[in-house]
Amino acid sequence: MSKSTTTRKNPSATVLIVGAGFAGLGAAIRLQQAGIRDIVTLERADRVGGTWRDNNYPGAACDIPSNLYSYSFDQNPDWSRSFSGSEEILGYIQAMVERFGLQKYIRFNQNVTDLAFDDELGVWHATTEAGEVFSGRAAVMAQGPLSNAGFPDIPGIEDYQGHKIHSAAWDHDYDFRGKKVGVIGTGASAIQIIPELVKEAGKLTVFQRTPAWVMPRPDFETPDWQKTLFRKVPASQSALRKGLYLAHESMALAVIWDSPVTRMAERLGRWHLKRQVKDRWLRRQLTPDYRIGCKRILVSNDYYPALQQPNCKLITWPIARLSEHGIRTVEGIEHQFDAIVFATGFDVSHSGTPFPVRGSGGRLLADDWKRGAQAYKSINVAGYPNLFLTFGPNSGPGHNSALVYMESQIDYIVKGVKTILSRNLKALAVRDRAQQEYNEAIQQRLAKTNWNSGCKSWYLTEDGFNATMYPGFASQYANQMKELDLRDYSLVTA
Ligand SMILES: Cc1cc2nc3c(=O)[nH]c(=O)nc-3n(C[C@H](O)[C@H](O)[C@H](O)COP(=O)(O)OP(=O)(O)OC[C@H]3O[C@@H](n4cnc5c(N)ncnc54)[C@H](O)[C@@H]3O)c2cc1C
C-alpha cells in the first residue's frame, strides 16, 4: 500500500466496493438484503451510473431489450421503448439508488489508486487519489470492464489541431451544424452516433477498418396498456423477461459456436444489408469477411440508411496518420475536418489491472496476469483472499444481457462474504489447483468458439489469448455460480 503523510484512514468496513455502476450498486443491494450493511462504495466520479453516466453521446442506447437489461429484483414497468436510451437507463440506476437507500454507502470523488491485502489482519486497504484509505474484510472490484475511454494507436494523434471528441466523453457544447466531421470506428457506439450526426453535420466522413455484422433492431415504443399490465400484474413482466432470456440463450447457437444457426444468422445479416443498401459497391464494402459472432454483433435499423445520406461518405482505406488538419489515409489523401469523433471503444486490459492490486505477501495481480488474466469462475483469484471481481476474466457475454451474468456474480459475492463472516475467516482463498483446472477447461472450450476462429477483436490479446468471453450459455454460467464449493478454497480463521 502506498503511504503518504497526508493519508487519512477511515474506520474499517465489512465490504469495500470499488465502483458505483450497475455491478457495484447491485452488489450493495444484495448485500444489504442479506443483512450486511457495513458497506463502503468508492466511486471516482461525482455521480452514480458508470457506463450510462459516461456514454451519453447522441443515439446512445442499449442493444439488449430493457426488460432483460435491468435487474430481475428491480424490474421497471415503465420502460418507454423496447431498447431504452442511455438517459433512461441512467434514470433507472439513479432511482434504484433512491429505492434501496444506497446513498449512505457511497463515497464520491474517491478514485482508487491502490488495493492491498493485509495478511496479518485479513483486511483489504484501498488508497484513493484524495489521500484517503478505506478498509474492508472483503473487497469487490466493480470498476467496470469498459470504463476507460480508449484512443487508437494512430501516429500523429497529438498533431491534429481540430476538435477531438471521444464517444465516452461527449462534448455537448460543440455545435456540429454545418461542420466537416470525421468519425473513426464503426463499432457499437459509432453505429448509434452516425445516424444522429448525419442529421447535423455539413459533411460526415466515416472511417471503417472492418465491417460489422449488423442485424435488424426490433425497437418500438412501449404501449401504455403494457405498462399498466406490468404494474398491475408483475408476473407478466417476469414472463416477458423469461421469454427474452430464452430467445437470447438460443442466439448462443449462432454467436458462440459454428452451427447451422450461425448460417441462418449470417443470412439474416446479409438480407438486412441487401434490403437497406441497393448500391452493390457500398454493399461489398459493408460485407464482413469473417464468421458472424467472431466480433460483437451490432443491431441497427438506421446505420446503413445514414451512410447513404448525400452528406455522408464511407472510407475503407486504412488510416495512415492524423495530421494537423485531419486524417491521412494510406493512399495519400488528406481528409480535412473541423472535428474528429473517436468511436474507438475502451482501454480494455487483458493482462494488467486498472490500479495496482496487491495480494498475499504483496504479490501483484498485474504480475500474476502477465501472460493473460485468469480467475476461478471469473470471480476469485488464487493469492488474493477475500477479493471478488465482477466481470472478471472469461465472464463476458456475447449473446445475452450482461446483467444476467452480473446477478450471478453478485449472489456469489454475497455467499462469499457470508462465509467469511459466519466462519469468522481472516482469509477465504481460492486454491491454485482449482483455478488452474477451471481455466484449462475454459480455454479448451474457447478453442471451439467463433471468437477464437481467426478474426481480430477486442476479446483477444495481440497473441490471440481469450481472457474475455465465457464459452457457454448464460444458464451454464449461472449454474456454475450457484454453489460456493468450499473444497476449492483454503480457509484461515481469524
Ligand atoms: C456504451 C456501452 C453500451 C453497452 N451496452 C450494453 C448492452 O446493451 N447490453 C449489455 O449486456 N451490456 C452492455 N454494455 C456492457 C455492460 O453492461 C455495461 O458496461 C455495464 O454498465 C457494466 O457495469 P459495471 O458496473 O460493471 O461497470 P460501469 O458501468 O463501467 O461502472 C463502473 C464504475 O466504477 C467507477 N470506477 C472505475 N475505476 C474506478 C476507480 N479506480 N476508483 C473508483 N471508481 C472507479 C466508474 O467511474 C464507474 O462509475 C455496454 C457497455 C458500454 C460501454
Side-chain angles (χ1 to χ4, degrees), residues 18-24 42-45 47 49-55 57 61-64 69 110-113 142-148 189 296 346 355 390-391 397 400-403 406:
V18 182
F22 257 125
L42 302 174
E43 168 56 53
R44 67 181 172 190
R47 293 185 300 148
T51 292
W52 305 102
R53 174 196 64 222
D54 299 338
N55 291 269
Y57 53 79
C62 62
D63 53 20
I64 292 278
Y69 192 72
Q110 296 290 352
N111 183 23
V112 174
T113 52
Q143 75 286 336
L146 307 170
S147 56
N148 296 316
S189 298
R296 185 164 168 194
F346 299 88
F355 39 77
T390 61
F391 282 113
N400 216 322
S401 171
L403 295 207
M406 223 181 255

Side-chain angles (χ1 to χ4, degrees), residues 6-18:
T6 55
T7 300
R8 198 167 73 86
K9 283 204 165 95
N10 290 279
S12 190
T14 302
V15 187
L16 207 56
I17 300 174
V18 182

Side-chain angles (χ1 to χ4, degrees), residues 5 25 61 84 154 164 206 229 236 256 267 291 300 308 316 322 400-401 409 419 422 427 467:
T5 46
L25 297 170
S84 300
I154 300 175
K164 287 185 213 157
V206 177
L229 177 69
S236 62
I256 304 183
R267 270 205 293 279
R291 196 185 294 163
S300 175
Q308 295 165 86
T316 56
L322 259 64
N400 216 322
S401 171
Q409 290 159 14
T419 306
S422 64

Side-chain angles (χ1 to χ4, degrees), residues 344-358:
T344 45
F346 299 88
D347 190 3
V348 184
S349 172
H350 299 284
S351 51
T353 50
F355 39 77
V357 179
R358 303 163 206 276

Side-chain angles (χ1 to χ4, degrees), residues 77-307:
D78 294 320
W79 291 117
S80 65
R81 311 192 62 79
S82 44
F83 293 84
S84 300
S86 168
E87 207 181 317
E88 193 173 357
I89 302 171
L90 180 61
Y92 166 79
I93 297 174
Q94 287 165 335
M96 194 167 75
V97 170
E98 291 288 321
R99 268 193 298 277
F100 292 92
L102 304 182
Q103 297 93 335
K104 56 185 175 288
Y105 302 133
I106 309 171
R107 301 292 301 267
F108 291 108
N109 303 309
Q110 296 290 352
N111 183 23
V112 174
T113 52
D114 190 284
L115 193 60
F117 187 63
D118 182 327
D119 289 290
E120 277 297 303
L121 300 174
V123 163
W124 280 96
H125 301 294
T127 307
T128 69
E129 210 171 18
E132 296 202 44
V133 178
F134 297 85
S135 308
R137 285 182 73 176
V140 178
M141 284 178 67
Q143 75 286 336
L146 307 170
S147 56
N148 296 316
F151 283 87
D153 194 12
I154 300 175
I157 200 156
E158 295 308 324
D159 300 344
Y160 177 63
Q161 297 302 309
H163 202 65
K164 287 185 213 157
I165 302 171
H166 193 282
S167 56
W170 199 255
D171 180 353
H172 290 275
D173 294 331
Y174 188 77
D175 186 359
F176 285 92
R177 278 175 300 178
K179 300 275 171 46
K180 280 191 278 178
V181 182
V183 177
I184 302 182
T186 52
S189 298
I191 71 154
Q192 295 180 342
I193 293 170
I194 290 163
E196 298 305 315
L197 275 193
V198 82
K199 294 177 196 161
E200 297 235 318
K203 192 167 172 241
L204 192 69
T205 308
V206 177
F207 292 85
Q208 170 186 277
R209 190 169 55 182
T210 320
W213 283 99
V214 182
M215 308 299 255
R217 184 180 170 92
D219 191 16
F220 49 84
E221 237 174 81
T222 315
D224 284 342
W225 64 260
Q226 196 183 73
K227 293 181 196 166
T228 312
L229 177 69
F230 287 170
R231 231 173 283 123
K232 289 200 170 143
V233 192
S236 62
Q237 188 167 16
S238 301
L240 173 66
R241 184 183 169 94
K242 186 85 189 165
L244 289 168
Y245 172 76
L246 293 175
H248 280 82
E249 276 297 72
S250 70
M251 285 182 213
L253 295 169
V255 175
I256 304 183
W257 305 282
D258 190 20
S259 76
V261 190
T262 312
R263 301 285 88 72
M264 279 161 59
E266 288 179 348
R267 270 205 293 279
L268 176 62
R270 275 193 289 268
W271 171 82
H272 186 48
L273 176 63
K274 199 168 177 182
R275 197 173 59 101
Q276 293 204 320
V277 180
K278 296 297 168 208
D279 180 78
R280 264 170 187 264
W281 175 241
L282 181 61
R283 215 159 55 215
R284 205 164 133 189
Q285 289 177 307
L286 292 170
T287 303
D289 64 354
Y290 56 88
R291 196 185 294 163
I292 200 167
C294 192
K295 282 156 121 46
R296 185 164 168 194
I297 298 174
L298 310 182
V299 286
S300 175
N301 298 335
D302 49 8
Y303 171 58
Y304 291 146
L307 287 179

